[in-house]
Amino acid sequence: MAALKNKDVFCGPLSLNNPVTVQVLGICSALAVTAQLVPALVMGLSVTIITALANVVISLLRKTVPNRIRIIVQLVVVASLVTIVSEVLKAFAYDVAMTLSVYIGLIITNCILMGRLEAFAMQNSPMQSLLDGIGNGLGYAKILVIVAFFRELLGSGKLLGYQVIPDCAYEAGYANNGLMLMPPMALIICACIIWYERAHNKDLQEK
């Protein structure tokens, strides 16, 4: 029974309870960092690490933190983790850190992160909180990667910075769709993903 519950906690955010397409959280960063795959991957990984670690820390502290200051404690924990991740990125992936710019810092106010701390980590064990954090982080990253894949491929003919569409296609008349690199297209692609998931999952369809 416990193993089944842990599986639901981890796998739920990857499909039927995805934080972006089902709960409609974290949309702002999905618009901002998905013009290329590399920033989307780094952002998704960063959110996953921070959400998982913050969930564990808050779960460990949940019985010792007074209720009236719990939000402050959560913000301090998240801000500390975001600062560490930001400095690590600047040290080992400076170009990507500059591309993400302020969006790494804005993870502090990410609705997914704060929602999981308040709704899950404050009521559950560290192990379940870890699984919940990883699951929600990966569910978020999954959508960012899908959106970035189509935007970079159709917008610039590249993936991970490498040209994918051959020169012969351009010589035959193919042209990159510059509109794909504009933020509104991220919202449109997210809408298409939401439509696809709801059309193929009866549990997500409104009665």
Side-chain angles (χ1 to χ4, degrees):
M1 183 65 70
L4 182 60
K5 182 178 180 180
N6 288 341
K7 181 181 178 181
D8 291 339
V9 167
F10 178 78
C11 295
L14 297 175
S15 55
L16 296 179
N17 195 29
N18 187 276
V20 179
T21 59
V22 178
Q23 301 177 47
V24 195
L25 301 174
I27 291 290
C28 295
S29 54
L31 303 181
V33 303
T34 54
Q36 295 179 323
L37 260 176
V38 172
L41 285 167
V42 173
M43 186 69 170
L45 180 60
S46 299
V47 170
T48 300
I49 292 172
I50 292 170
T51 305
L53 294 179
N55 263 14
V56 171
V57 173
I58 294 302
S59 179
L60 290 170
L61 297 176
R62 71 186 190 281
K63 294 182 179 179
T64 62
V65 176
N67 188 59
R68 64 182 182 277
I69 63 168
R70 70 186 190 285
I71 300 298
I72 297 175
V73 173
Q74 291 170 13
L75 287 172
V76 169
V77 170
V78 173
S80 301
L81 292 172
V82 168
T83 300
I84 293 172
V85 169
S86 178
E87 293 304 311
V88 169
L89 285 177
K90 289 178 181 177
F92 297 100
Y94 184 78
D95 291 340
V96 177
M98 292 300 99
T99 300
L100 291 173
S101 184
V102 299
Y103 297 106
I104 287 292
L106 288 176
I107 293 176
I108 296 173
T109 59
N110 192 302
C111 299
I112 299 171
L113 180 57
M114 297 307 298
R116 299 326 296 166
L117 295 179
E118 183 69 11
F120 196 91
M122 289 294 292
Q123 285 83 36
N124 292 277
S125 68
M127 177 55 69
Q128 289 185 333
S129 298
L130 175 64
L131 293 174
D132 178 78
I134 295 174
N136 276 275
L138 292 178
Y140 168 83
K142 167 189 167 183
I143 302 304
L144 259 64
V145 168
I146 293 173
V147 173
F149 174 87
F150 287 106
R151 291 186 69 192
E152 185 174 6
L153 177 63
L154 300 179
S156 60
K158 299 179 179 180
L159 287 176
L160 297 174
Y162 297 98
Q163 184 172 332
V164 174
I165 298 178
D167 292 332
C168 61
Y170 293 104
E171 294 171 358
Y174 177 82
N176 293 326
N177 186 351
L179 186 63
M180 294 297 295
L181 300 178
M182 300 180 67
M185 286 308 301
L187 192 60
I188 292 173
I189 296 173
C190 281
C192 291
I193 296 172
I194 292 173
W195 167 79
Y196 177 84
E197 289 191 348
R198 289 183 180 273
H200 290 79
N201 290 284
K202 293 184 178 180
D203 292 338
L204 297 178
Q205 296 174 8
E206 296 181 2
K207 304 298 184 182

